Amino acid sequence: MGHKVVVFDISVIRALWETRVRKHKARQKKEEERLEKSALEKIKEEWNFVAECRRKGIPQAEYCKNGFIDTSVRLLEKIEKNALTRQSLLSKDSGKRSSRFVFELSGDHWKELPDSLKEQTHLREWHISNTLIQIIPAYIELFQAMRILDLPKNQISHLPAEIGCLKNLRELNVSFNHLTSIPPELGDCENLERLDCSGNLELTELPFELSNLKQVTFVDISANKFSSVPICVLRMSNLQWLDISNNNLNDLPQDIDRLEELQSFLLYKNRLTYLPQSMLNLRKLTLLVVSGDHLVELPTALCDSSTPLKFVSLMDNPIDNAQCQDGDEIMESEQDSRHFDKEFMKAYIEDLKERESVPSYTTKVSFSLQL
């Protein structure tokens, strides 16, 4: 009995695979065309563009005409060039007067502050960002004229107790560092007006001594691990802006209405299941964002026209019957993700405030963050 030999025609096999490859490429092209026409992609592109313009200080009127956003790269370059030109002209007039009182430092080649800094105790502002500096030295107490400590995006893990000696300090920004605690001595800075501790990821509480800060109008402790609103914050009687989003809040205190001057309250991406009835007593509250929480109930009167609220965002809550979608984009780190979230929300809120016609009634805003 002889052997059976199976013979294949190579041209037939080749034609089969070429057909499959053509179909695959056709499907890929169709998907690309679908994404190009997708409204979601267009919205994402526009918001990324808006956030970029905000970071560069470009006014909305420059890129938004008749309600349409021009995302042209050439337009962005032109606007940025004009802005730099204006800044250079202004700096020629004011630079000589103010530079001797302002200290600026940036770049990851800096691992510690220069030794000569301790001799410049006349400085009123420190602007230090994007460095590898981990420690703020104790000699900071010598800078009695200090008004602004702007220290974002460094590697700072500790603030010295001597910071409490800065009696004239108005603003403290230690966002996106590696702080795990805030010194109680900060409560001695009785003239402090703005406090930003966002993005440190590991902060769980603020010292009770910060209750002494009666002049504070702005507090941002978002992107940390707070399980409740700090008691000291509830005692800041002049507080107008509170951002405690991206934390571990399970509920709000029943005496949240102690914040009688509160105007903007950001609570998105926590674990809240309800809002207390006392929220109705915040008579000056105009903006409330509780997106991405676990809300199943809220005071029905909260959205009545009788309340001062003008903008309410409840998107991505069970009460909204909306399902959260996991984003496809992978950020480099948790801090990058939280920073993108923060910048997006900041651009969104500023856009609301810049609109020429503000509605006199409460508007429910529906949008979701894809992170």
Side-chain angles (χ1 to χ4, degrees):
M1 184 175 180
H3 296 284
K4 292 183 179 180
V5 179
V6 180
V7 179
F8 292 96
D9 187 343
I10 298 300
S11 62
V12 174
I13 298 176
R14 179 179 178 181
L16 177 63
W17 278 105
E18 286 179 347
T19 301
R20 292 182 177 179
V21 170
R22 282 196 299 270
K23 290 182 178 180
H24 178 69
K25 289 182 177 180
R27 284 195 299 268
Q28 282 186 324
K29 185 177 180 180
K30 187 175 180 181
E31 179 64 16
E32 290 174 358
E33 291 176 351
R34 186 188 69 79
L35 289 176
E36 288 177 358
K37 296 178 181 180
S38 171
L40 291 177
E41 287 296 317
K42 180 64 175 176
I43 293 173
K44 182 179 179 181
E45 178 187 357
E46 288 183 354
W47 272 111
N48 287 337
F49 180 81
V50 170
E52 181 68 19
C53 289
R54 299 291 186 191
R55 283 194 293 270
K56 295 181 178 180
I58 299 171
Q60 180 184 3
E62 296 288 343
Y63 57 82
C64 187
K65 304 293 184 182
N66 299 324
F68 294 96
I69 297 176
D70 186 352
T71 58
S72 170
V73 176
R74 291 183 179 179
L75 175 65
L76 181 58
E77 292 176 350
K78 180 180 178 181
I79 294 173
E80 188 176 3
K81 184 178 179 181
N82 292 338
L84 290 174
T85 302
R86 288 194 298 270
Q87 289 177 3
S88 63
L89 292 175
L90 290 173
S91 63
K92 288 181 181 179
D93 297 331
S94 60
K96 294 182 179 179
R97 296 194 303 270
S98 62
S99 60
R100 63 184 296 269
F101 298 107
V102 178
F103 174 71
E104 296 183 353
L105 195 67
S106 181
D108 57 10
H109 56 284
W110 289 101
K111 296 184 179 180
E112 58 184 19
L113 294 173
D115 292 335
S116 60
L117 182 60
K118 66 177 66 174
E119 301 173 0
Q120 304 179 46
T121 55
H122 63 279
L123 291 172
R124 297 178 182 176
E125 299 182 16
W126 282 11
H127 297 273
I128 303 172
S129 62
N130 293 292
T131 72
L132 298 181
I133 293 174
Q134 299 182 17
I135 298 176
I136 299 301
Y139 65 69
I140 194 173
E141 65 180 337
L142 302 176
F143 294 78
Q144 291 298 306
M146 186 75 73
R147 298 291 192 277
I148 298 176
L149 263 180
D150 187 35
L151 312 171
K153 299 181 183 179
N154 297 292
Q155 303 294 316
I156 301 171
S157 58
H158 173 72
L159 290 177
E162 288 75 9
I163 198 172
C165 298
L166 305 181
K167 303 300 183 182
N168 292 307
L169 189 65
R170 299 292 194 275
E171 299 182 18
L172 175 61
N173 181 0
V174 285
S175 61
F176 294 93
N177 281 281
H178 298 289
L179 295 174
T180 57
S181 64
I182 300 296
E185 289 78 6
L186 182 62
D188 296 331
C189 300
E190 55 190 20
N191 290 307
L192 193 69
E193 298 174 358
R194 294 176 63 90
L195 175 62
D196 189 344
C197 303
S198 61
N200 282 280
L201 304 183
E202 297 298 327
L203 276 178
T204 59
E205 59 181 12
L206 293 179
F208 180 79
E209 287 77 2
L210 268 59
S211 301
N212 298 327
L213 304 178
K214 302 302 183 183
Q215 303 302 319
V216 171
T217 60
F218 177 100
V219 170
D220 189 344
I221 51 176
S222 61
N224 284 294
K225 290 185 178 178
F226 287 91
S227 57
S228 62
V229 179
I231 296 176
C232 62
V233 172
L234 294 174
R235 294 172 178 263
M236 296 176 181
S237 54
N238 285 314
L239 192 62
Q240 298 176 12
W241 175 288
L242 176 57
D243 187 349
I244 193 169
S245 54
N246 270 303
N247 277 282
N248 297 328
L249 297 187
N250 291 312
D251 53 29
L252 293 178
Q254 294 298 323
D255 58 344
I256 191 67
D257 53 359
R258 293 172 62 111
L259 301 175
E260 297 179 353
E261 300 297 320
L262 193 63
Q263 298 176 13
S264 300
F265 199 5
L266 280 68
L267 291 162
Y268 61 91
K269 290 188 179 298
N270 279 287
R271 302 172 181 174
L272 299 174
T273 56
Y274 73 97
L275 297 180
Q277 193 74 17
S278 56
M279 289 281 291
L280 299 174
N281 298 328
L282 298 175
R283 298 301 181 184
K284 295 187 178 182
L285 188 64
T286 58
L287 185 146
L288 175 65
V289 182
V290 205
S291 302
D293 280 79
H294 302 157
L295 288 183
V296 293
E297 62 175 312
L298 75 161
T300 55
L302 195 64
C303 293
D304 289 349
S305 58
S306 59
T307 65
L309 275 170
K310 295 180 180 178
F311 301 105
V312 181
S313 176
L314 302 172
M315 188 62 182
D316 291 340
N317 280 281
I319 197 172
D320 192 63
N321 293 324
Q323 295 182 352
C324 299
Q325 296 180 353
D326 294 329
D328 296 329
E329 184 177 359
I330 300 177
M331 308 301 286
E332 293 181 0
S333 68
E334 186 176 0
Q335 273 198 336
D336 290 335
S337 175
R338 300 293 179 87
H339 186 261
F340 177 84
D341 192 1
K342 184 179 175 67
E343 289 296 320
F344 185 96
M345 184 59 68
K346 185 188 299 182
Y348 170 73
I349 293 174
E350 288 181 0
D351 179 68
L352 288 178
K353 291 183 177 180
E354 284 188 7
R355 292 181 182 177
E356 294 182 358
S357 57
V358 179
S360 59
Y361 54 86
T362 300
T363 301
K364 182 179 178 182
V365 182
S366 295
F367 74 99
S368 59
L369 299 174
Q370 294 186 352
L371 301 177

